[in-house]
Amino acid sequence: MKISYHGHSVVQINTNGKTILIDPFITGNSLTDLKAEEVHADVIVLTHGHNDHVGDTVAIAKRCGSLVVANADLTTYLSWQGVETHGMNIGGACHFDFGTVKLTQAFHGSGYATHNNEIIYCGMPTGVLFSSEGKTIYHAGDTGLFSDMKLIGERHPIDVAFLPIGDNFTMGPEDAAYAAKLLQAKTVVPIHYNTFPPIKQNPNLFIELLEEKNGKVLNPGEAIEI
Ligand code: NI
Ligand code: MN
């Protein structure tokens, strides 16, 4: 399984001959190496309804025929825009041909802001556990620190955890380092930083905070194989 990072919270997984994109915020993402009109996705998984996570989902899904997987309130809203969806909710897993998706809790918001100055309710924010080829990835989405991360790690031994470190909207580096300790992931990759001024962070300082010395900074476009 190949996993690549593309700035902000954008993570791409290649497994079982499929391309899975998590939170494809490309247009407006100054750090990404991707182009919204060129990227390919068989599946798009969304952690929550905020615009910096839903991003280019509808355009990509319409062009590629991608299946969009997220909490059922968010997928209902997106299905009305003509994309194929699969709705889930926190605590539930689903076995797809490309791998298993399980949504976990996250402490955050999830409203989608429209061009008409409306906030669309998009359900509870989530994290994502993705398993395939005997490996498990945890994408925390946007969240504050919570002690049940320990439970998530105990129930699902994690090979790679993607944790937000930007602070202001999510965990900052110190809380994310504590989260890494609770999760006991083999490898920890920081996300959700430096895209906007309020979330400016030095990811290398976060890596130094990790007691297990198991952190890896991925620059946009860089990948790891597990
Ligand atoms: Ni958010
Ligand atoms: Mn965000």
Side-chain angles (χ1 to χ4, degrees):
M1 176 164 22
K2 183 181 169 192
I3 312 161
S4 53
Y5 177 60
H6 301 280
H8 206 56
S9 295
V10 186
V11 172
Q12 179 176 312
I13 301 162
N14 288 85
T15 183
N16 296 321
K18 297 278 174 75
T19 300
I20 298 123
L21 263 184
I22 303 177
D23 287 356
F25 166 57
I26 299 169
T27 303
N29 178 350
S30 57
L31 300 178
T32 195
D33 60 307
L34 299 177
K35 289 194 169 64
E37 60 279 11
E38 290 175 7
V39 75
H40 175 77
D42 298 293
V43 180
I44 296 171
V45 181
L46 300 176
T47 61
H48 63 295
H50 282 159
N51 300 53
D52 62 317
H53 296 259
V54 174
D56 301 276
T57 293
V58 172
I60 296 167
K62 282 188 173 171
R63 179 171 54 77
C64 300
S66 329
L67 176 68
V68 180
V69 179
N71 86 69
D73 301 281
L74 177 52
T75 56
T76 298
Y77 175 59
L78 295 174
S79 72
W80 293 338
Q81 295 171 60
V83 303
E84 189 191 349
T85 61
H86 179 100
M88 301 178 63
N89 220 321
I90 292 167
C94 185
H95 305 287
F96 298 93
D97 60 356
F98 55 85
T100 297
V101 176
K102 184 174 184 179
L103 299 184
T104 64
Q105 72 196 50
F107 289 90
H108 193 65
S110 186
Y112 185 83
T114 72
H115 293 300
N116 300 323
N117 293 351
E118 292 170 327
I119 299 278
I120 304 291
Y121 170 77
C122 290
M124 296 280 280
T126 67
V128 174
L129 284 162
F130 178 80
S131 303
S132 172
E133 302 177 49
K135 307 282 185 183
T136 296
I137 296 161
Y138 173 58
H139 186 301
D142 282 358
T143 186
L145 176 64
F146 56 92
S147 58
D148 278 350
M149 286 177 171
K150 184 169 189 291
L151 185 64
I152 292 171
E154 282 173 1
R155 295 280 299 121
H156 305 278
I158 297 164
D159 292 283
V160 186
F162 291 89
L163 303 181
I165 66 158
D167 223 341
N168 195 77
F169 302 112
T170 69
M171 299 186 284
E174 289 83 9
D175 277 359
Y178 198 91
K181 193 163 109 177
L182 295 177
L183 289 160
Q184 291 291 306
K186 287 199 188 114
T187 302
V188 175
V189 178
I191 60 172
H192 209 270
Y193 61 92
N194 287 353
T195 330
F196 315 115
I199 60 172
K200 194 159 173 47
Q201 297 293 340
N202 181 342
N204 295 309
L205 295 181
F206 164 70
I207 297 294
E208 286 172 23
L209 292 174
L210 296 172
E211 285 177 12
E212 313 266 340
K213 301 297 167 207
N214 57 343
K216 181 156 181 57
V217 174
L218 291 179
N219 293 312
E222 283 187 339
I224 47 176
E225 293 266 358
I226 61 168

